[in-house]
């Protein structure tokens, strides 16, 4: 493990974003566990919002996505849905 940018390495493992500059400097054999825009899919709230937008444009292609709420922002909508489900049962 090295923090030296000039060190030889094959795999760069990080839990934070990677700069475009670092990606552009990759050697052919080097790999990074992240890619640009990854947080849009890896963070659950961003993924839910992205899928919701896509489902609005292509409902048949995204019918496998369960109804999702972003909490705490949409807590009232979730409670209303839960209450309706209980009444319908």
């Amino acid at each position: 493990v090295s923090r030296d940018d000039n060190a030889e390495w094959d795999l760069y493992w990080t839990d934070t974003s990677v700069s475009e500059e670092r990606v552009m400097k990759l050697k052919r054999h080097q790999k990074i566990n992240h890619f640009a825009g990854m947080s849009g899919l890896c963070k659950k709230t961003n993924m839910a919002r992205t899928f919701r937008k896509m489902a609005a444009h292509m409902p048949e292609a995204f019918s496998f996505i369960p109804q999702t709420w972003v909490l705490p922002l949409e807590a009232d909508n979730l409670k209303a849905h839960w209450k309706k489900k209980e009444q319908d049962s």
Side-chain angles (χ1 to χ4, degrees):
V1 176
S2 174
R3 294 190 186 275
D4 178 7
D5 283 343
N6 295 319
E8 285 296 316
W9 54 272
D10 296 320
L11 178 63
Y12 183 79
W13 196 269
T14 179
D15 61 352
T16 60
S17 62
V18 178
S19 71
E20 185 176 336
E21 180 183 356
R22 181 177 288 278
V23 172
M24 297 306 290
K25 289 181 179 179
L26 286 176
K27 295 175 185 168
R28 189 177 183 107
H29 70 280
Q30 293 175 321
K31 305 293 182 218
I32 299 179
N33 71 319
H34 282 253
F35 54 86
M38 190 169 174
S39 67
L41 292 177
C42 293
K43 292 185 178 181
K44 292 178 186 179
T45 55
N46 292 342
M47 183 174 65
R49 290 179 180 126
T50 299
F51 281 161
R52 191 178 294 157
K53 289 177 187 175
M54 296 301 293
H57 292 288
M58 300 183 296
E60 66 286 342
F62 286 85
S63 61
F64 66 96
I65 303 295
Q67 191 165 4
T68 305
W69 294 267
V70 176
L71 300 176
L73 184 66
E74 299 173 345
D76 290 340
N77 293 342
L78 174 59
K79 289 175 189 174
H81 176 79
W82 192 283
K83 190 172 187 174
K84 185 177 183 327
K85 283 286 195 184
E86 286 178 339
Q87 290 171 352
D88 292 344
S89 296

